[in-house]
Amino acid sequence: GTGRVLKIADFGHAKADTIRYALKSKLKMALKWCAPEVLEKGEFGVPSEIWSLGVTCWEILSCGEEPFQGIPKKEVKARVLGPERLHLEAKPGWSADTAELLRLAFVFSPASRGSAKDLIAVINRATATPSAKDKNKDRCPSKLTTDSQTDIKDLKDPNNLK
């Protein structure tokens, strides 16, 4: 229908009216959703929110699969900050637009990471064409499994997601 709105929401880390917020005490964190600058310096801001949004998009598009599945939390931090620069990528069969959204979200340097405006442009482009409703209707069954996949273009029609 008309009037659908995409809201880029605060993942609870960025603070209003600040460019950057530094964590002053040790808190329990969802490490697999944290941007490199958060893991390294405890600094939150819009770029770290974009990273977290990228992880959330990846989760939705993989029908609820856990990010970095099989990698212990402590190891995720070392691998994201290390030479490997661990990040999530589009799965085989996902669209070029989905890959672009994830590429923008997971740039290591916060200054070079995509903005909310960049991500919205990719989502608008991906959802501008009619969805393949019949083809994708069973991609995310009621019981989620790690082998079922969806794609960013499927988000246009919520009937495609069960």
Side-chain angles (χ1 to χ4, degrees):
T2 60
R4 289 195 174 124
V5 176
L6 172 68
K7 295 184 179 183
I8 307 295
D10 178 6
F11 286 88
H13 303 126
K15 301 293 180 191
D17 301 323
T18 61
I19 294 172
R20 192 171 63 204
Y21 171 76
L23 192 62
K24 294 186 171 100
S25 63
K26 288 191 175 188
L27 298 174
K28 287 190 175 191
M29 304 284 300
L31 293 180
K32 293 182 178 187
W33 285 259
C34 289
E37 63 274 16
V38 173
L39 296 172
E40 188 173 41
K41 303 174 208 163
E43 291 182 353
F44 297 92
V46 173
S48 66
E49 297 291 298
I50 294 295
W51 182 286
S52 296
L53 175 64
V55 175
T56 300
C57 287
W58 185 92
E59 279 183 292
I60 292 167
L61 297 171
S62 66
C63 299
E65 187 175 323
E66 181 183 340
F68 308 117
Q69 193 166 26
I71 302 173
K73 291 176 190 174
K74 290 179 182 180
E75 192 176 323
V76 168
K77 179 179 178 178
R79 290 176 65 182
V80 167
L81 295 176
E84 180 183 356
R85 300 286 192 238
L86 180 68
H87 62 280
L88 297 166
E89 295 181 348
K91 292 184 174 250
W94 287 5
S95 70
D97 289 322
T98 299
E100 175 70 2
L101 180 131
L102 297 175
R103 187 192 64 73
L104 289 168
F106 298 129
V107 172
F108 188 81
S109 167
S112 301
R113 197 169 298 143
S115 67
K117 185 177 178 179
D118 296 332
L119 271 59
I120 290 168
V122 172
I123 291 168
N124 284 338
R125 184 176 65 236
T127 59
T129 57
S131 180
K133 186 175 183 178
D134 292 333
K135 177 182 154 200
N136 296 316
K137 68 181 180 178
D138 295 320
R139 287 186 111 176
C140 288
S142 298
K143 185 174 179 178
L144 298 176
T145 62
T146 58
D147 62 342
S148 57
Q149 308 296 313
T150 190
D151 202 346
I152 192 170
K153 65 184 178 298
D154 301 322
L155 297 179
K156 181 164 183 129
D157 186 352
N159 294 321
N160 287 343
L161 304 175
K162 291 183 177 188

